[in-house]
Each structure stands twice: as C-alpha cells, then as structure tokens.
Amino acid sequence: MSIDLETARRVAKLARIKVEDEALPALADEFNTILGFIEQLNEVDIEGVEPMTSVTPMRLKRRDDVVTDGGHPEKILSNAPDAREGFFAVPKVVE
Amino acid sequence: MSDLTKLTIAEARERLRKGEVTSVELTEACLREIEGAGALNAFVHHTPDVAMEQARAADARLAEGDAPAMCGIPLGIKDLFCTRGVPSQAGSRILQGFLPEYESTVSQQLFDAGAVMLGKLNMDEFAMGSSNETSTYGNAVSPWRRGNDEAELTPGGSSGGSAAAVAADLCLAATGTDTGGSIRQPAAFVGITGLKPTYGRCSRWGIVAFASSLDQAGPMTKTVRDAAIMLGAMAGHDPKDSTSADLPVPDFEAALTGDVRGKKIGIPKEYRMDGMPEEIEALWSRGQEMLRDAGAEIVDISLPHTQYALPAYYVIAPAEASSNLARYDGVRYGHRAKLSQGDGITEMYEKTRAEGFGAEVKRRVMVGTYVLSAGFYDAYYNRARRVRTLIKRDFEQVFDAGIDAILTPATPSAAFGLGEMSDADPVQMYLNDVFTVTVNLAGLPGISVPAGLDKQGLPLGLQLIGRPWEEADLLNSAYALERAAGFVAKPAKWW
C-alpha cells in the first residue's frame, strides 16, 4: 500500500491539519516509510486471536447515574481563546 | 550546603525527620541549582512561590511529627501533568497559556504526602519523541558529555527534562510518564532509575493523554529505594480513572531486602538484536552474572513476537493519539490561529492545529487518522490489536512457566548527540524504544537501573520487567542489581 498525494491530502483533511500543497510530497514519503515499517505485521499469524480491548483484565466499575459534578461554568470557560456570555465563541457555523 | 540537592529521598527523609535539615533549606538549595542550570533547559516553568509555600507547610507537618515519606521532598513535575494554576503545556505550542483549574491525581497525591513542586519539566511534545527534540520549549540537554567533547547530548525522551533534572541534582526526584519507554530510556541515558508501573497502578486522571491504553506515570529517582518510596505516594485507585486498579498499594520499600536467591530471571533471546553494540551486549552479560552471583537462576526464554512490538505500537499509539488530540481545536483552551476574512470553523480547526502542533505530533496524528479510516481499520488497527494480544501472551507464558523477572538492555545505545538523528527517517528514532515498548503493550511493570558506563563515559542501563502488580518484587530484584552494579558515576558539572 503506497500513499499518493491525493491520499496524503485527504488524511490531512480528515485530521483537520492544514498542509500546504508543497509540503504534501514529503508528507506522503514519511507516511510510506512508517507504513512500510508497519507492514511487517502482515507476517504474523493472527488466525483466531482476539483483538486486545483491555491490557489488564478488569470489570469497569459502575455507579449510580446521577449528577456528581457541575455548576462552575467560569472555570470551564477560563481557558477559552474566546468566550462570551457564558459560551465558547467560534466563527459563524450556520449561514 | 549545595550538597543538599544531591541527597536521595531516603537520606533527606531521615535528615528531615531528625530535624537536621528543613524542607525550606532543601527547597532553597534546589531553587538555587535550578537558577544556575538554565543551559540544561530542564525546568521550563519555575514555581518558586508554590515551592516555598509547600516547603513551609511540610516543615510544619514535620514539626508535628506527621511526616509521610515524601514530606518536604522537592520534586520536578513533568509538564504532562496538569497542575492547578500552573502552566501545563505537554511541551506543545497548542496549549500555550493553558492554566488548569484542577490538579492531576498523581501530583495531588504527592502534594498530600507533603512533597514540594519546584516547577514543570521539559518533555517531547505530547510525549511523542525519544530525544526531547520535539518540545516547543527547545531541547532539554543532558548533563553528561562525551569526555571533553562539548557536543550537547540528548537526555532521552520523552521525559528528558525529568531525566536531566534528576541527574544534574536540580531536584531530589521527578515524575515521568511512559507510553513506549519515555521513563526508562531517558533514565538509562542519564544514569538514574526509572520505573514504569503496571498499567492501572497510577491514576491517569489529569495527565494529558497521548495513548490511553499505554500511558502510565512513574517515578524517576536517584536510587531504587527512592523509586519504591515515591511510587508508594503516586499509586492507588482513583474513581476518576476507570482504568486505575482497585488494589491495595503495598509497602514497596519494605520489599527491598536484596535477597533474590532462587528467583528465576529470564533472558529473552529475541532481545539480542543484529548490530547491537558490543558494549550493550557485554553489559547485559554482566547483569546476568550479577544476578546469578546474588543467587538468582538465569533462564533462557523466548518471547517470539518481540520484533512485532514496535510496528504494532506505531499503529496503536498514533491511532489513540489521533483520537485524544482531537480535543485541541482552538475552542476550549490553548492556542487559536488568527483567522482571515471569510474563514469558517473548519479553517479555524485546520489552521489552529497546523500552527499549534509540531512536525512529529502532526505526523503521528495523521498516521493514526489513516489507520483508523474507513477501509483500513481492520487491516491496520485491528491487526495491531491482535498482535498486541500475542505479545502479551508471550509474557504470560514465561511468567506461567515460573519466571519472576526478565532482564534486558534498557536501550540499544548510549545517549546520542542532539541533532545527530535529524537526518534519519522517523522509524530510525522509533528504534530507541525497541526494548521498552513491549512492556507497555503488555501492561507490565518495567524498571531501568543504571549499570555501567560505555567507552565514551556515558551511562548505560539495564531493564528488569516484572509480573503485573508485582512492582514490590520487581523493585527488590532491581535493588539487588543496583547493589551489585554499584553505579556511582555523576556528570562533571559544566553548566
């Protein structure tokens, strides 16, 4: 599997990272180096092997479905690059 | 009194309890050393006011006789830990200006035990790197040099600032985190002890997430005893981290008898790599002799899927990172790019992330995005998770066969020069973690112990890998190795 410029562009778009056109060839090369390294995994016989979901077998704890925290909007907004009237502010989303 | 900063935690604890020294004196001595060590670029956010306040509180507790083991001990905290009101950037530009409104569980537990925070420590951006060269703060520099050669060396990564600070006696110990080797490799590069506990031993709450199924916090210390003491304060169940284990925390220090008679130490043949430097090979053999002389039985073992650990890691870790780092979108915290006329929310995300993330982080986020994307999820991500199952099974089988611990080299080389790897492709850098990454994939505890110097006079470490949850036994084996190795070398001060 080899990554072409179009795939590199699509991956950057999916990752929401702006990559200038002139940077795409180098990026595609790096992807190909890393994916080439990962290809080794195809040598492993994984027939009948379950994908790992939890490295230490454990049952997740349960708790009552009740509110345990909240009521501090100022703290939640305190690090926002732009917050107004108790909300996070972003560029216009809907026309 | 500058020798105060050279104390181990255990020595300082005794002197504090006897009233021979105060935490304020210890803390002031460390702050002076930090002040004079700008060339190492280890401490990137200084918190002298927090430190002095905590030191005075610790002295008050000591005076009342209420003194847990870590009470009054000055520490450095890796920048990955969120610390309330103190910059916590994970070494990234994208978190510039972020002041957490909360405290990570691990740092809170250390503070509850009376520990003192001197400041935040340099690291690779989002803990992605093996040389501390991907940090937004610039490189951390090792206090070690190759003889009289003034070339700057890497302290390793990602916990490079932690390693440099402890090795240079700027603090008594430091916190680190380890996703593929980020505690053990830097510890080995600078001649200190670094412990990655069993996955789930320490809460991950409040630690900036890289790869959640692999990340684990641990102590970076001057001795094995200090690692045992500090782990005791860091570990424990936390309802805020559903993967933290609800298991009692044993007295790790009490396990340090140094008696390893009858212990079975496994030597995995797959860790004998082609092209491994002779010195690493020789150190590994000496380590086996030391443990044999101490009464342990050395057993040849096989971990057949070892060579697939790094490729599996470079699917799983980027996949988890791409998901975890999706939160850096310029909305809730940190950096937001300046927008042009007409830019919408997508441009805001794309420009913010392009400006805020460094090259290695972008690379890994995009690789992770690719392996999780439609059509490739099974071929890459699910295959890697199945290989991970096999890697863990390899370890389970040798432990079931009676092996108590596994001895390996910690790193495939001594520390390299900053910039020396800049022309290498990313995979060459990834090979630094070849001996450590298996441990994260299997969720096991691993410890790096300084064991010798190479021909250039640089430290080399050996790694011991233990059974899950048996850090106490692992620390005891490490203690026996430490005593036999008798590593006492220190870097000559040039900074």
Side-chain angles (χ1 to χ4, degrees):
Chain A
M1 183 71 216
S2 149
I3 303 269
D4 56 21
L5 291 191
E6 224 17 73
T7 310
R9 191 194 314 275
R10 188 173 57 85
V11 170
K13 185 79 192 170
L14 282 172
R16 296 292 182 269
I17 296 174
K18 185 174 174 59
V19 178
E20 302 295 344
D21 281 350
E22 55 271 25
L24 283 173
L27 186 65
D29 277 352
E30 285 172 0
F31 284 168
N32 283 319
T33 305
I34 295 167
L35 292 173
F37 179 62
I38 292 168
E39 295 291 324
Q40 292 178 63
L41 294 177
N42 292 330
E43 300 165 11
V44 185
D45 180 6
I46 52 166
E47 193 57 38
V49 179
E50 283 296 312
M52 184 183 286
T53 46
S54 171
V55 71
T56 43
M58 55 170 66
R59 236 178 76 92
L60 286 183
K61 285 179 177 286
R62 296 181 174 210
R63 64 167 177 83
D64 291 335
D65 185 13
V66 292
V67 175
T68 57
D69 200 359
H72 29 71
E74 302 79 17
K75 284 187 174 184
I76 287 170
L77 293 171
S78 68
N79 279 291
D82 191 1
R84 297 174 208 168
E85 298 164 39
F87 295 95
F88 293 110
V90 296
K92 193 154 79 176
V93 180
V94 187
E95 287 302 323
Chain B
M1 287 297 271
S2 71
D3 279 359
L4 284 180
T5 68
K6 295 187 168 67
L7 294 176
T8 64
I9 294 174
E11 289 163 354
R13 176 183 58 185
E14 295 318 306
R15 295 181 63 172
L16 284 164
R17 285 179 177 171
K18 284 185 187 153
E20 294 171 359
V21 69
T22 64
S23 178
V24 164
E25 287 166 347
L26 271 178
T27 301
E28 284 175 339
C30 288
L31 291 171
R32 273 195 301 275
E33 288 297 314
I34 293 166
E35 201 62 37
L40 301 177
N41 200 24
F43 277 88
V44 290
H45 296 289
H46 299 240
T47 57
D49 295 342
V50 176
M52 291 310 293
E53 191 181 319
Q54 289 175 328
R56 282 189 288 268
D59 282 333
R61 281 175 80 171
L62 282 153
E64 287 165 20
D66 161 37
M70 292 298 293
C71 193
I73 304 294
L75 303 176
I77 303 292
K78 188 177 182 180
D79 198 38
L80 203 63
F81 292 79
C82 287
T83 43
R84 190 183 297 111
V86 173
S88 306
Q89 280 182 241
S92 181
R93 184 181 178 205
I94 211 160
L95 277 171
Q96 199 153 29
F98 176 55
L99 295 173
E101 294 279 357
Y102 47 82
E103 189 72 41
S104 85
T105 297
V106 163
S107 51
Q108 186 65 57
Q109 285 186 195
L110 286 166
F111 300 156
D112 289 348
V116 171
M117 174 171 72
L118 298 163
K120 303 297 284 288
L121 292 162
N122 206 345
M123 56 177 285
D124 279 299
E125 184 178 11
F126 285 107
M128 298 180 191
S130 302
S131 61
N132 211 123
E133 291 172 288
T134 72
S135 168
T136 191
Y137 308 116
N139 301 337
V141 179
S142 175
W144 290 85
R145 285 180 164 176
R146 298 179 183 122
N148 293 324
D149 183 347
E150 291 186 6
E152 291 184 341
L153 302 182
T154 177
S158 69
S159 308
S162 305
V166 175
D169 292 318
L170 309 185
C171 50
L172 272 57
T175 60
T177 63
D178 190 315
T179 304
S182 283
I183 286 175
R184 291 160 288 157
Q185 182 255 21
F189 275 8
V190 302
I192 65 168
T193 300
L195 171 66
K196 184 204 90 76
T198 312
Y199 181 81
R201 181 59 95 179
C202 295
S203 170
R204 290 180 298 107
W205 195 83
I207 300 174
V208 175
F210 160 15
S212 304
S213 79
L214 301 160
D215 298 342
Q216 187 60 202
M220 298 177 72
T221 57
K222 295 174 190 179
T223 65
V224 171
R225 179 175 300 279
D226 283 6
I229 296 170
M230 189 164 160
L231 178 63
M234 295 171 72
H237 177 60
D238 176 11
K240 289 186 285 197
D241 173 5
S242 61
T243 64
S244 82
D246 195 358
L247 291 172
V249 178
D251 183 344
F252 299 112
E253 191 184 7
L256 304 182
T257 61
D259 183 359
V260 292
R261 283 174 296 175
K263 292 279 179 199
K264 286 198 165 115
I265 306 292
I267 308 299
K269 65 171 194 235
E270 290 80 5
Y271 283 61
R272 192 157 282 119
M273 300 277 171
D274 287 343
M276 189 156 87
E278 215 172 279
E279 288 173 294
I280 302 276
E281 180 89 42
L283 180 80
W284 193 13
S285 298
R286 277 208 304 282
Q288 296 170 41
E289 282 162 27
M290 290 175 206
L291 289 170
R292 189 185 291 118
D293 290 347
E297 183 186 341
I298 303 298
V299 185
D300 287 323
I301 59 167
S302 174
L303 299 166
H305 295 90
T306 298
Q307 75 168 104
Y308 302 108
L310 266 180
Y313 177 85
Y314 276 96
V315 175
I316 292 166
E320 294 186 19
S322 77
S323 171
N324 274 324
L325 271 58
R327 72 190 62 171
Y328 304 104
D329 55 5
V331 176
R332 286 161 295 168
Y333 25 62
H335 179 74
R336 177 187 289 189
K338 285 220 167 22
L339 301 182
S340 306
Q341 195 68 31
D343 278 351
I345 195 157
T346 304
E347 288 80 11
M348 183 194 75
Y349 294 149
E350 291 180 348
K351 288 183 177 178
T352 293
R353 291 161 65 80
E355 289 179 7
F357 291 149
E360 181 63 22
V361 171
K362 287 182 198 172
R363 191 150 50 222
R364 294 203 202 184
V365 166
M366 287 191 271
V367 165
T369 302
Y370 180 74
V371 300
L372 291 175
S373 64
F376 300 105
Y377 189 90
D378 263 324
Y380 288 111
Y381 183 60
N382 272 339
R383 175 171 282 270
R385 289 200 301 142
R386 293 164 88 176
V387 172
R388 187 176 179 186
T389 299
L390 292 171
I391 289 164
K392 180 165 183 244
R393 188 179 296 167
D394 284 353
F395 283 104
E396 284 168 347
Q397 283 168 351
V398 299
F399 289 136
D400 286 348
I403 295 296
D404 293 293
I406 297 166
L407 180 74
T408 79
T411 59
S413 72
F416 46 91
L418 289 163
E420 274 175 19
M421 295 282 282
S422 58
D423 293 333
D425 70 55
V427 171
Q428 290 305 310
M429 189 65 102
Y430 298 168
L431 292 174
N432 262 288
D433 289 336
V434 65
F435 299 130
T436 47
V437 76
T438 51
V439 175
N440 299 78
L441 289 167
L444 303 171
I447 186 166
S448 170
V449 178
L453 296 174
D454 76 353
K455 284 196 219 65
Q456 312 169 95
L458 297 180
L460 297 171
L462 287 170
Q463 172 180 238
L464 280 161
I465 303 167
R467 297 162 173 262
W469 312 116
E470 295 191 12
E471 289 91 349
D473 194 56
L474 176 67
L475 282 158
N476 184 42
S477 299
Y479 182 58
L481 186 63
E482 177 187 57
R483 290 211 299 195
F487 183 92
V488 290
K490 287 291 232 177
K493 186 165 177 177
W494 54 265
W495 58 90

